[in-house]
Structure formats: C-alpha cells, structure tokens
Amino acid sequence: MYRDHTKVVHIGDRVIGGGNPVLIQSMTNTHTEDVAATVAQIHRLEQAGCEIIRCTVPTEEAAKAISEIKKQIHIPLVADIHFDYKMAIAAMENGADKIRINPGNIGSIDRVKAVVEVAKERNIPIRVGVNSGSLEKDLVEKYHGVTAEGIVESALDKVHIIEDLGYDNLVISIKSSDVLMCVAAHEKLVKETNYPLHVGITESGTIMSGNIKSSIGLGILLHEGIGDTIRVSLTGDPVEEVKSAKLILRTLGLRKGGIEVVSCPTCGRTNIDLIGLANAVEQMVADIPLDLKVAVMGCVVNGPGEAKEADIGIAGGKGEGLLIKKGEVIRKVPEEQLLNTLREELLNWGNA
Ligand code: SF4
C-alpha cells in the first residue's frame, strides 16, 4: 500500500507518512491577524477532532500573529503562503510548523532558495501544492487542456526545484475540483514519488455537494492506500470539514473510536419525529468518548430487529418508545424521555 511506504514527515509534534494514521486537517477562515478570533476557531476545531490547522499568511501582521496563536493552541499550525516569499520566511520565523507554497507562485529561483534555506535551518516541512486552476500555460498546451498528466508534471517540477536546492522534507498536494481528474492525478503521482500526500478535493462546494464530492474522491484514494493527511473543503463552518473527515476515515476503517449513529430512513410506520430525534442523538453523542454503535429507529415493529447490530438503540412508537440493547428490548420509555434515557445509558456505559 502506497501509504505504508511514504517518507515520514514531522509536523510539529505530529507525524504523517510511513503508514502512520491519516491525520485530519482544516483551515481557519478568520483573519489570521485577529488572534482572538483565530484561536477561538482553532479551539472549536481541536475539539471536533482537527489534528493540523492551516492559516493563511497574507501580511506581515498575520505572520507575527502566528507566534501568539501558537502559544494558545495544541495542534501544529501550517502557514499558507500565496505569492510573497517574505511571508513564508516570516511565518517560519514566527513558529509555523509547516508551510504550504506553490514554488511557481513565489517568483525567481533566488526567492524559492531563500525560503528553502530557512526551512532547512529549522527543519520545517514544506507542502508543495499545485492546483488544476493554476496549471502553467505550457503544460495546458502540451497536454491539450488541464489534465491529470499536466497536474502531476507540474507538481513534480516544483518538487525537483526544491530537491535540487538540497531539501526533501516535503509533502505534496495536487488538487482539482474535478473528482475523477483528481483521482487519476494521484494514481499517476504515486508511481513517481514516495513523499507523503495531502489529499483533498478543492472548491468542492457547499456542505451537501462538498461532502459528496469529497467522500467519493477521498474514499477512492484512501481505499487505494493513497493519502497521508486529508482535508475536506467545504463552503461552510470548518468544524463541518472535520466532522466529515472523521466520518470518512471511520467509514473506511481507518479510524476507530467515537459513537457511530445509525438511523432508519423512516417510512409509513413511523409515528414520531425521527428526523429530529436522530439529529438530536447525533449532537448528543458527539462529546461522549465511547466506541459504540447507536441505532435510532422509527418503529417498534421492525426497529428492534433492524437495530440488532447496534450496541444500544431506541425505537419510536406511539407516544412511547423502546430502549434496546444488542437487539433486545430492555424497557418502554415515554417518547419525550427517549433522548435523555439514551444519554444516561451512554454516560453509565460500562458501569452497569
Ligand atoms: S425501522 Fe420501522 S419506521 Fe424505520 S424504516 Fe424500518 S419499518 Fe420503517
């Protein structure tokens, strides 16, 4: 499996590559210069399960803010640099644990060299990121459009520039909003390199379309053993990105832990507000540190049977519901107490 043989890269106190667990990343959408707002958002993300955070560094002030932000957070911070090589250097001097650059946007080789020299001195990894949207003109012409081949060639060109400067503490990311092109590009890239890969579908859209595109793209790649760290990009609260990333990893068997909520799709037999109840259960279990399956079913006729594979469940009836454990009905519970009863059972799990 590709992921087992990638180079190990340390990002602050975290490690990616070499078969280590796939880590979840997200990116703040606050102004990095606003330390209080950025720290508050990172704390929410940490609590949701974010393991590496990226912040944009467009200004000198943002670079300076990094050292203050770093004092107040508990996960490694990646500085996202667009065009100004001086920001990359300032971010590293202010404690960034990794920088993300596209050497093609940084300018002359001297500028790239200046960035690489600082990274080398401090042993800070560089994520070399290329995006289908900014593919060089000559590669677009060579491959008659934006193609997986072009994206891979562009990424490897950038990697070779940095390698030629004597540095290989690198992570690569190649992104496209075209899911199948993104998958094809990664499948080609892994034949040519063993650097760890940051994988994500870029500009994938709002919560609904972003989740579907990311689940398909990341699902295929991760299942093929490709991807050492992931970001689900969503137009929305970044906490949603982390929740989705966790669910993707858990669904693929790449993460253990946490409560999985399964619920039935409802049908004509449903007599309670199961949609509301299932959503409430999902929220309620988010901070309970158990590794369990919880079923939320819509009727007392089929619910208990269908919930057999769950550790615990509730099934709604008319005005009352059932508490179920491993498919066995434990007792009847008034409808309005179902949620609380389930919560109490979970909080006392293992003490019974
Ligand atoms: S568990 Fe009951 S309510 Fe839910 S889909 Fe099955 S039959 Fe319908």
Side-chain angles (χ1 to χ4, degrees):
M1 195 176 268
Y2 177 76
R3 186 164 47 238
D4 292 338
H5 306 288
T6 48
K7 190 174 151 45
V8 171
V9 168
H10 293 259
I11 303 159
D13 61 358
R14 303 293 170 122
V15 183
I16 60 165
N20 279 292
V22 178
L23 295 189
I24 296 169
Q25 304 205 17
S26 184
M27 187 165 179
T28 50
N29 59 11
T30 54
H31 292 293
T32 309
E33 296 85 348
D34 185 342
V35 173
T38 304
V39 167
Q41 191 172 65
I42 295 173
H43 285 167
R44 286 176 57 232
L45 288 161
E46 284 178 352
Q47 204 171 6
C50 182
E51 292 157 321
I52 298 174
I53 189 67
R54 182 158 51 113
C55 301
T56 186
V57 180
T59 61
E60 196 62 55
E61 209 189 335
K64 286 201 185 105
I66 287 179
S67 64
E68 204 40 59
I69 293 166
K70 283 260 313 170
K71 283 182 208 154
Q72 300 180 49
I73 64 171
H74 313 90
I75 54 175
L77 187 151
V78 183
D80 194 76
I81 310 299
H82 269 266
F83 298 102
D84 192 342
Y85 79 105
K86 288 192 219 122
M87 294 307 124
I89 293 172
M92 288 187 279
E93 287 172 347
N94 280 284
D97 297 296
K98 176 178 160 195
I99 56 166
R100 183 260 179 190
I101 58 168
N102 176 347
N105 291 343
I106 293 283
S108 67
I109 187 70
D110 287 344
R111 292 180 173 187
V112 177
K113 193 172 172 199
V115 173
V116 171
E117 284 309 317
V118 178
K120 218 189 274 182
E121 272 163 31
R122 295 168 183 252
N123 201 24
I124 293 172
I126 299 177
R127 175 180 140 203
V128 179
V130 301
N131 199 317
S132 62
S134 54
L135 196 60
E136 294 84 351
K137 235 173 139 192
D138 58 326
L139 290 174
V140 175
E141 275 165 23
K142 178 174 171 186
Y143 292 105
H144 309 292
V146 175
T147 61
E149 288 81 359
I151 299 170
V152 171
E153 188 169 330
S154 173
L156 291 175
D157 284 349
K158 311 293 179 319
V159 166
H160 295 148
I161 291 172
I162 298 179
E163 284 177 340
D164 290 346
L165 293 167
Y167 200 52
D168 66 355
N169 191 7
L170 306 177
V171 176
I172 306 178
S173 70
I174 49 175
K175 293 202 176 176
S176 167
S177 55
D178 180 322
V179 175
L180 295 181
M181 188 189 292
C182 194
V183 168
H186 282 88
E187 289 170 344
K188 281 182 200 310
L189 181 66
V190 296
K191 295 192 180 119
E192 316 254 355
T193 181
N194 73 338
Y195 287 113
L197 302 181
H198 166 116
V199 180
I201 305 297
T202 193
E203 290 138 23
S204 56
T206 52
I207 306 269
M208 164 87 170
S209 78
N211 271 330
I212 291 176
K213 286 185 184 177
S214 294
S215 305
I216 293 173
L218 292 176
I220 295 172
L221 288 170
L222 290 167
H223 195 59
E224 289 177 354
I226 299 170
D228 301 270
T229 176
I230 60 169
R231 180 195 177 195
V232 173
S233 285
L234 297 175
T235 307
D237 183 343
V239 167
E240 295 300 322
E241 299 187 349
V242 174
K243 285 200 225 162
S244 301
K246 274 170 88 172
L247 197 50
I248 290 171
L249 292 179
R250 209 178 318 139
T251 306
L252 290 165
L254 294 170
R255 269 303 161 100
K256 295 266 176 285
I259 293 181
E260 181 186 356
V261 178
V262 295
S263 53
C264 79
T266 74
C267 72
R269 291 182 198 260
T270 318
N271 280 313
I272 58 163
D273 170 22
L274 193 79
I275 298 171
L277 186 59
N279 280 311
V281 169
E282 208 166 67
Q283 278 198 359
M284 180 269 284
V285 302
D287 60 348
I288 300 179
L290 290 171
D291 184 5
L292 292 181
K293 195 182 257 192
V294 172
V296 184
M297 313 305 281
C299 72
V300 292
V301 182
N302 288 347
E306 291 180 22
K308 232 183 229 149
E309 285 170 30
D311 297 283
I312 186 165
I314 47 177
K318 245 191 189 146
E320 62 180 12
L322 301 176
L323 177 70
I324 307 154
K325 283 187 184 167
K326 296 274 184 200
E328 262 185 54
V329 176
I330 303 297
R331 63 175 189 269
K332 287 185 179 173
V333 179
E335 183 180 335
E336 64 283 2
Q337 288 174 24
L338 275 172
L339 186 66
N340 270 342
T341 303
L342 181 61
R343 181 166 174 82
E344 274 163 29
E345 289 284 335
L346 290 171
L347 293 176
N348 291 321
W349 195 261
N351 300 332

